[in-house]
Amino acid sequence: METEKLFQRIQSMIISSTKKPKYMSISTVKVADILGVEPFEIEQGLKELVSEGRLKKSKSGEPPYQEIYFLAGQD
């Protein structure tokens, strides 16, 4: 999965989020289905984007304790 294409898709999903600050819990299965790839590729792409510093990853403070993603600099 091309990380730039994944980043653009994730970025638009986060920006369209109604939460303040903007963040999103991302379902790798749903994103993989939309992009026509395997969920593993999305997981790897998200890890790469986090390691590059383009996304920040956190855990929600309330059940069900989902992993949430922010655009870098928006937390």
Side-chain angles (χ1 to χ4, degrees), residues 1-43:
M1 167 96 251
E2 183 185 330
T3 56
E4 187 58 35
K5 181 179 177 182
L6 177 62
F7 178 72
Q8 289 174 359
R9 179 64 66 133
I10 298 299
Q11 180 182 37
S12 67
M13 291 168 71
I14 292 172
I15 289 173
S16 68
S17 170
T18 59
K19 298 169 181 71
K20 302 267 187 220
K22 302 247 184 222
Y23 67 89
M24 175 167 216
S25 173
I26 296 172
S27 167
T28 56
V29 174
K30 287 182 183 178
V31 174
D33 188 45
I34 290 168
L35 297 178
V37 298
E38 294 295 320
F40 176 78
E41 294 179 65
I42 302 301
E43 291 172 15

Short mmCIF file of all heavy atoms in Angstrom, two decimals, residues 1-43:
data_model
loop_
_atom_site.label_atom_id
_atom_site.label_comp_id
_atom_site.label_asym_id
_atom_site.label_seq_id
_atom_site.Cartn_x
_atom_site.Cartn_y
_atom_site.Cartn_z
N MET A 1 0.86 -1.19 0.00
CA MET A 1 0.00 0.00 0.00
C MET A 1 0.89 1.23 0.00
O MET A 1 1.77 1.35 0.84
CB MET A 1 -0.88 -0.05 1.25
CG MET A 1 -1.62 1.22 1.58
SD MET A 1 -3.30 1.24 0.97
CE MET A 1 -3.19 2.40 -0.33
N GLU A 2 0.65 2.11 -0.91
CA GLU A 2 1.41 3.36 -1.00
C GLU A 2 1.03 4.25 0.18
O GLU A 2 -0.14 4.59 0.38
CB GLU A 2 1.08 4.05 -2.33
CG GLU A 2 1.87 5.31 -2.55
CD GLU A 2 1.43 6.03 -3.81
OE1 GLU A 2 0.98 5.39 -4.76
OE2 GLU A 2 1.54 7.27 -3.81
N THR A 3 2.03 4.63 0.98
CA THR A 3 1.74 5.37 2.21
C THR A 3 1.18 6.76 1.94
O THR A 3 0.37 7.25 2.72
CB THR A 3 2.99 5.49 3.12
OG1 THR A 3 4.05 6.09 2.39
CG2 THR A 3 3.40 4.14 3.66
N GLU A 4 1.57 7.39 0.85
CA GLU A 4 1.05 8.73 0.55
C GLU A 4 -0.44 8.67 0.26
O GLU A 4 -1.21 9.51 0.74
CB GLU A 4 1.80 9.37 -0.63
CG GLU A 4 1.43 10.81 -0.87
CD GLU A 4 1.68 11.71 0.34
OE1 GLU A 4 2.64 11.51 1.09
OE2 GLU A 4 0.87 12.65 0.52
N LYS A 5 -0.86 7.68 -0.50
CA LYS A 5 -2.29 7.51 -0.80
C LYS A 5 -3.06 7.21 0.49
O LYS A 5 -4.13 7.78 0.73
CB LYS A 5 -2.48 6.36 -1.79
CG LYS A 5 -3.91 6.12 -2.19
CD LYS A 5 -4.00 4.99 -3.20
CE LYS A 5 -5.45 4.69 -3.56
NZ LYS A 5 -5.54 3.57 -4.50
N LEU A 6 -2.51 6.35 1.34
CA LEU A 6 -3.14 6.04 2.61
C LEU A 6 -3.22 7.29 3.49
O LEU A 6 -4.25 7.57 4.08
CB LEU A 6 -2.38 4.93 3.34
CG LEU A 6 -2.91 4.55 4.72
CD1 LEU A 6 -4.34 4.03 4.64
CD2 LEU A 6 -2.00 3.53 5.38
N PHE A 7 -2.13 8.06 3.55
CA PHE A 7 -2.12 9.27 4.37
C PHE A 7 -3.19 10.25 3.90
O PHE A 7 -3.91 10.83 4.72
CB PHE A 7 -0.75 9.94 4.36
CG PHE A 7 -0.73 11.22 5.15
CD1 PHE A 7 -0.79 11.20 6.53
CD2 PHE A 7 -0.68 12.44 4.50
CE1 PHE A 7 -0.80 12.39 7.26
CE2 PHE A 7 -0.68 13.63 5.22
CZ PHE A 7 -0.74 13.59 6.60
N GLN A 8 -3.31 10.45 2.61
CA GLN A 8 -4.31 11.38 2.08
C GLN A 8 -5.71 10.94 2.47
O GLN A 8 -6.55 11.76 2.85
CB GLN A 8 -4.17 11.52 0.57
CG GLN A 8 -2.94 12.28 0.16
CD GLN A 8 -2.73 12.27 -1.35
OE1 GLN A 8 -3.49 11.68 -2.09
NE2 GLN A 8 -1.68 12.94 -1.79
N ARG A 9 -5.98 9.64 2.39
CA ARG A 9 -7.31 9.12 2.75
C ARG A 9 -7.57 9.30 4.24
O ARG A 9 -8.62 9.78 4.65
CB ARG A 9 -7.39 7.65 2.35
CG ARG A 9 -8.71 6.99 2.70
CD ARG A 9 -9.86 7.60 1.93
NE ARG A 9 -9.75 7.33 0.54
CZ ARG A 9 -10.71 6.89 -0.24
NH1 ARG A 9 -11.89 6.67 0.25
NH2 ARG A 9 -10.50 6.69 -1.51
N ILE A 10 -6.59 8.93 5.07
CA ILE A 10 -6.73 9.04 6.52
C ILE A 10 -6.85 10.52 6.92
O ILE A 10 -7.67 10.88 7.77
CB ILE A 10 -5.56 8.37 7.25
CG1 ILE A 10 -5.51 6.87 6.93
CG2 ILE A 10 -5.62 8.62 8.75
CD1 ILE A 10 -6.73 6.08 7.33
N GLN A 11 -6.05 11.36 6.31
CA GLN A 11 -6.08 12.80 6.60
C GLN A 11 -7.48 13.36 6.33
O GLN A 11 -8.03 14.08 7.16
CB GLN A 11 -5.05 13.53 5.74
CG GLN A 11 -5.01 15.02 5.97
CD GLN A 11 -4.00 15.71 5.07
OE1 GLN A 11 -3.84 15.33 3.91
NE2 GLN A 11 -3.32 16.70 5.60
N SER A 12 -8.07 13.03 5.20
CA SER A 12 -9.41 13.55 4.90
C SER A 12 -10.45 12.98 5.86
O SER A 12 -11.39 13.68 6.24
CB SER A 12 -9.80 13.27 3.45
OG SER A 12 -9.96 11.90 3.22
N MET A 13 -10.28 11.73 6.31
CA MET A 13 -11.20 11.14 7.28
C MET A 13 -11.11 11.87 8.62
O MET A 13 -12.12 12.17 9.24
CB MET A 13 -10.90 9.65 7.45
CG MET A 13 -11.22 8.81 6.24
SD MET A 13 -10.54 7.14 6.34
CE MET A 13 -11.56 6.43 7.61
N ILE A 14 -9.89 12.17 9.05
CA ILE A 14 -9.70 12.86 10.33
C ILE A 14 -10.22 14.29 10.25
O ILE A 14 -10.90 14.75 11.17
CB ILE A 14 -8.22 12.82 10.75
CG1 ILE A 14 -7.80 11.38 11.10
CG2 ILE A 14 -7.97 13.74 11.96
CD1 ILE A 14 -6.32 11.19 11.34
N ILE A 15 -9.92 14.98 9.17
CA ILE A 15 -10.36 16.37 9.02
C ILE A 15 -11.88 16.46 8.99
O ILE A 15 -12.46 17.40 9.55
CB ILE A 15 -9.73 17.00 7.76
CG1 ILE A 15 -8.24 17.23 8.00
CG2 ILE A 15 -10.43 18.31 7.38
CD1 ILE A 15 -7.47 17.68 6.79
N SER A 16 -12.54 15.47 8.42
CA SER A 16 -14.00 15.50 8.37
C SER A 16 -14.65 15.05 9.68
O SER A 16 -15.86 15.15 9.84
CB SER A 16 -14.52 14.64 7.22
OG SER A 16 -14.27 13.28 7.46
N SER A 17 -13.83 14.61 10.63
CA SER A 17 -14.35 14.20 11.94
C SER A 17 -14.96 15.39 12.65
O SER A 17 -14.47 16.51 12.56
CB SER A 17 -13.21 13.63 12.79
OG SER A 17 -13.61 13.43 14.11
N THR A 18 -16.04 15.15 13.39
CA THR A 18 -16.70 16.24 14.11
C THR A 18 -16.14 16.42 15.51
O THR A 18 -16.55 17.32 16.23
CB THR A 18 -18.21 15.97 14.22
OG1 THR A 18 -18.41 14.73 14.90
CG2 THR A 18 -18.85 15.92 12.84
N LYS A 19 -15.22 15.57 15.91
CA LYS A 19 -14.66 15.65 17.26
C LYS A 19 -13.70 16.82 17.37
O LYS A 19 -13.07 17.22 16.42
CB LYS A 19 -13.96 14.34 17.60
CG LYS A 19 -14.91 13.16 17.60
CD LYS A 19 -14.13 11.87 17.68
CE LYS A 19 -15.01 10.67 17.64
NZ LYS A 19 -15.62 10.41 16.37
N LYS A 20 -13.57 17.36 18.57
CA LYS A 20 -12.62 18.45 18.85
C LYS A 20 -11.72 18.01 19.98
O LYS A 20 -12.24 17.69 21.05
CB LYS A 20 -13.36 19.73 19.26
CG LYS A 20 -14.34 20.23 18.26
CD LYS A 20 -13.72 21.23 17.34
CE LYS A 20 -14.81 21.81 16.47
NZ LYS A 20 -14.52 22.03 15.15
N PRO A 21 -10.41 17.97 19.84
CA PRO A 21 -9.67 18.17 18.60
C PRO A 21 -9.97 17.03 17.63
O PRO A 21 -10.48 15.99 18.02
CB PRO A 21 -8.21 18.13 19.05
CG PRO A 21 -8.21 17.30 20.27
CD PRO A 21 -9.53 17.56 20.93
N LYS A 22 -9.64 17.23 16.39
CA LYS A 22 -9.95 16.25 15.36
C LYS A 22 -9.12 14.99 15.55
O LYS A 22 -7.91 15.03 15.59
CB LYS A 22 -9.68 16.85 13.99
CG LYS A 22 -10.48 18.11 13.75
CD LYS A 22 -11.48 17.90 12.69
CE LYS A 22 -12.22 19.18 12.38
NZ LYS A 22 -13.60 18.96 12.22
N TYR A 23 -9.83 13.88 15.70
CA TYR A 23 -9.17 12.58 15.78
C TYR A 23 -10.16 11.53 15.30
O TYR A 23 -11.33 11.82 15.07
CB TYR A 23 -8.73 12.26 17.21
CG TYR A 23 -9.86 12.06 18.19
CD1 TYR A 23 -10.42 10.81 18.39
CD2 TYR A 23 -10.36 13.14 18.92
CE1 TYR A 23 -11.46 10.64 19.29
CE2 TYR A 23 -11.40 12.96 19.81
CZ TYR A 23 -11.94 11.71 20.00
OH TYR A 23 -12.96 11.54 20.89
N MET A 24 -9.67 10.30 15.14
CA MET A 24 -10.53 9.26 14.62
C MET A 24 -10.02 7.89 15.02
O MET A 24 -8.83 7.66 15.04
CB MET A 24 -10.59 9.37 13.11
CG MET A 24 -11.35 8.31 12.41
SD MET A 24 -11.61 8.80 10.73
CE MET A 24 -13.22 8.11 10.56
N SER A 25 -10.95 7.02 15.36
CA SER A 25 -10.64 5.62 15.53
C SER A 25 -10.75 5.01 14.14
O SER A 25 -11.77 5.18 13.47
CB SER A 25 -11.64 4.96 16.48
OG SER A 25 -11.42 3.58 16.51
N ILE A 26 -9.71 4.34 13.69
CA ILE A 26 -9.67 3.85 12.31
C ILE A 26 -9.82 2.33 12.29
O ILE A 26 -9.05 1.63 12.94
CB ILE A 26 -8.36 4.27 11.63
CG1 ILE A 26 -8.31 5.80 11.55
CG2 ILE A 26 -8.23 3.65 10.26
CD1 ILE A 26 -7.00 6.36 11.08
N SER A 27 -10.80 1.86 11.55
CA SER A 27 -10.99 0.43 11.34
C SER A 27 -10.15 0.01 10.14
O SER A 27 -10.46 0.39 9.00
CB SER A 27 -12.46 0.10 11.09
OG SER A 27 -12.58 -1.22 10.60
N THR A 28 -9.11 -0.76 10.39
CA THR A 28 -8.25 -1.18 9.28
C THR A 28 -9.01 -2.04 8.29
O THR A 28 -8.75 -1.98 7.09
CB THR A 28 -7.01 -1.93 9.81
OG1 THR A 28 -7.44 -3.03 10.61
CG2 THR A 28 -6.11 -1.02 10.61
N VAL A 29 -9.98 -2.80 8.77
CA VAL A 29 -10.78 -3.66 7.87
C VAL A 29 -11.63 -2.80 6.94
O VAL A 29 -11.68 -3.05 5.74
CB VAL A 29 -11.66 -4.63 8.69
CG1 VAL A 29 -12.59 -5.41 7.78
CG2 VAL A 29 -10.79 -5.58 9.50
N LYS A 30 -12.27 -1.76 7.46
CA LYS A 30 -13.10 -0.90 6.63
C LYS A 30 -12.27 -0.12 5.62
O LYS A 30 -12.65 0.00 4.46
CB LYS A 30 -13.91 0.07 7.49
CG LYS A 30 -15.05 -0.59 8.23
CD LYS A 30 -15.83 0.42 9.03
CE LYS A 30 -16.94 -0.27 9.82
NZ LYS A 30 -17.69 0.68 10.64
N VAL A 31 -11.13 0.42 6.06
CA VAL A 31 -10.27 1.17 5.15
C VAL A 31 -9.72 0.25 4.07
O VAL A 31 -9.67 0.61 2.89
CB VAL A 31 -9.13 1.89 5.91
CG1 VAL A 31 -8.16 2.54 4.94
CG2 VAL A 31 -9.70 2.93 6.87
N ALA A 32 -9.33 -0.97 4.46
CA ALA A 32 -8.83 -1.94 3.48
C ALA A 32 -9.90 -2.27 2.44
O ALA A 32 -9.61 -2.37 1.25
CB ALA A 32 -8.37 -3.20 4.19
N ASP A 33 -11.14 -2.42 2.89
CA ASP A 33 -12.24 -2.71 1.98
C ASP A 33 -12.45 -1.55 1.00
O ASP A 33 -12.64 -1.76 -0.20
CB ASP A 33 -13.52 -2.98 2.77
CG ASP A 33 -14.65 -3.47 1.91
OD1 ASP A 33 -14.42 -4.37 1.06
OD2 ASP A 33 -15.78 -2.96 2.07
N ILE A 34 -12.39 -0.32 1.50
CA ILE A 34 -12.56 0.86 0.64
C ILE A 34 -11.47 0.94 -0.41
O ILE A 34 -11.72 1.23 -1.57
CB ILE A 34 -12.58 2.15 1.49
CG1 ILE A 34 -13.86 2.22 2.32
CG2 ILE A 34 -12.43 3.40 0.62
CD1 ILE A 34 -13.85 3.29 3.39
N LEU A 35 -10.22 0.65 0.01
CA LEU A 35 -9.08 0.79 -0.90
C LEU A 35 -8.78 -0.48 -1.68
O LEU A 35 -7.89 -0.49 -2.53
CB LEU A 35 -7.85 1.23 -0.10
CG LEU A 35 -7.95 2.59 0.58
CD1 LEU A 35 -6.69 2.88 1.38
CD2 LEU A 35 -8.20 3.69 -0.44
N GLY A 36 -9.49 -1.57 -1.37
CA GLY A 36 -9.29 -2.82 -2.11
C GLY A 36 -7.98 -3.52 -1.82
O GLY A 36 -7.37 -4.09 -2.73
N VAL A 37 -7.52 -3.43 -0.57
CA VAL A 37 -6.28 -4.10 -0.16
C VAL A 37 -6.55 -4.94 1.09
O VAL A 37 -7.66 -4.95 1.61
CB VAL A 37 -5.15 -3.08 0.12
CG1 VAL A 37 -4.81 -2.30 -1.14
CG2 VAL A 37 -5.52 -2.13 1.23
N GLU A 38 -5.53 -5.63 1.57
CA GLU A 38 -5.65 -6.45 2.77
C GLU A 38 -5.50 -5.56 4.02
O GLU A 38 -4.71 -4.61 4.01
CB GLU A 38 -4.57 -7.53 2.79
CG GLU A 38 -4.74 -8.56 1.68
CD GLU A 38 -6.00 -9.37 1.83
OE1 GLU A 38 -6.36 -9.75 2.96
OE2 GLU A 38 -6.65 -9.62 0.80
N PRO A 39 -6.22 -5.88 5.11
CA PRO A 39 -6.10 -5.11 6.35
C PRO A 39 -4.66 -5.01 6.86
O PRO A 39 -4.27 -3.98 7.42
CB PRO A 39 -6.99 -5.87 7.34
CG PRO A 39 -7.98 -6.56 6.48
CD PRO A 39 -7.26 -6.91 5.22
N PHE A 40 -3.86 -6.05 6.66
CA PHE A 40 -2.47 -6.04 7.09
C PHE A 40 -1.71 -4.88 6.46
O PHE A 40 -0.87 -4.24 7.10
CB PHE A 40 -1.80 -7.38 6.74
CG PHE A 40 -0.34 -7.42 7.07
CD1 PHE A 40 0.06 -7.61 8.38
CD2 PHE A 40 0.62 -7.25 6.10
CE1 PHE A 40 1.40 -7.65 8.71
CE2 PHE A 40 1.97 -7.29 6.42
CZ PHE A 40 2.36 -7.48 7.73
N GLU A 41 -2.00 -4.60 5.18
CA GLU A 41 -1.32 -3.50 4.48
C GLU A 41 -1.67 -2.15 5.12
O GLU A 41 -0.82 -1.27 5.23
CB GLU A 41 -1.70 -3.48 3.01
CG GLU A 41 -1.20 -4.69 2.24
CD GLU A 41 -1.62 -4.64 0.79
OE1 GLU A 41 -1.18 -3.72 0.06
OE2 GLU A 41 -2.42 -5.52 0.39
N ILE A 42 -2.91 -1.99 5.55
CA ILE A 42 -3.34 -0.75 6.20
C ILE A 42 -2.64 -0.62 7.55
O ILE A 42 -2.13 0.46 7.90
CB ILE A 42 -4.87 -0.70 6.37
CG1 ILE A 42 -5.58 -0.83 5.01
CG2 ILE A 42 -5.29 0.56 7.11
CD1 ILE A 42 -5.24 0.25 4.01
N GLU A 43 -2.59 -1.71 8.31
CA GLU A 43 -1.91 -1.69 9.61
C GLU A 43 -0.45 -1.29 9.45
O GLU A 43 0.05 -0.46 10.20
CB GLU A 43 -2.01 -3.06 10.28
CG GLU A 43 -3.39 -3.43 10.73
CD GLU A 43 -3.51 -4.86 11.21
OE1 GLU A 43 -2.47 -5.51 11.46
OE2 GLU A 43 -4.65 -5.34 11.33
#
